[in-house]
Amino acid sequence: MIKIYCLVDPITHKPFYVGATRRSLKDRLYSHIVGRFDPSYIKSLSSRRNKLIREIIEAGQTPLIYCLIIVPSDICDLFEREYYNLFLSQGIELLQHKHRFTYQQHYCKK
């Protein structure tokens, strides 16, 4: 089973990312945070999402993570895309690559 989750800015209380994970939400949040301060992770330094995560941490806060739904792995990309589109339809800007819902392809063995 895969958790579809969102990251929320604790200062503005607005979602800024939708993702999918098998791991615990605590572990997934930790990896979002740690990766943003890892000098070897240069690619992330230019990302608006990662910049926001660093700004939240530097302000003494922690991004919030919420489980939106738990679904079987064979339909997780569909649900991730649907939540992404739902937030966009509400005027919420998400800081992630558009249409990059390939969790099943990359992480789920058939």
Side-chain angles (χ1 to χ4, degrees), residues 1-4 19-22 71-81 100-110:
M1 298 298 278
I2 306 296
K3 297 169 196 78
I4 307 301
T21 189
R22 267 181 203 218
V71 297
S73 61
D74 61 335
I75 58 172
C76 66
D77 295 337
L78 170 69
F79 276 87
E80 185 180 2
R81 182 180 298 108
R100 191 175 173 198
F101 307 107
T102 56
Y103 186 89
Q104 181 184 8
Q105 175 185 347
H106 289 102
Y107 300 105
C108 299
K109 295 181 181 180
K110 295 183 180 187

Side-chain angles (χ1 to χ4, degrees), residues 35-51:
R36 305 324 152 218
F37 290 93
D38 182 350
S40 66
Y41 200 46
I42 301 300
K43 179 180 173 186
S44 74
L45 298 178
S46 61
S47 164
R48 291 174 43 213
R49 177 188 74 225
N50 299 329
K51 181 177 184 258

Side-chain angles (χ1 to χ4, degrees), residues 3 9 21 29 35 39 61 64 91 94:
K3 297 169 196 78
D9 182 332
T21 189
L29 178 60
Q61 300 280 332
L64 304 172
L94 296 175

Side-chain angles (χ1 to χ4, degrees), residues 5-11 16-18 28-38 41 44-45 47-65 95-96:
Y5 67 92
C6 68
L7 294 179
V8 175
D9 182 332
I11 300 163
F16 63 90
Y17 180 79
V18 173
R28 185 63 185 110
L29 178 60
Y30 178 78
S31 66
H32 273 291
I33 292 170
V34 170
R36 305 324 152 218
F37 290 93
D38 182 350
Y41 200 46
S44 74
L45 298 178
S47 164
R48 291 174 43 213
R49 177 188 74 225
N50 299 329
K51 181 177 184 258
L52 177 59
I53 291 172
R54 285 193 315 274
E55 289 171 357
I56 291 168
I57 299 297
E58 289 167 357
Q61 300 280 332
T62 302
L64 304 172
I65 189 168
L95 306 178
Q96 67 196 86

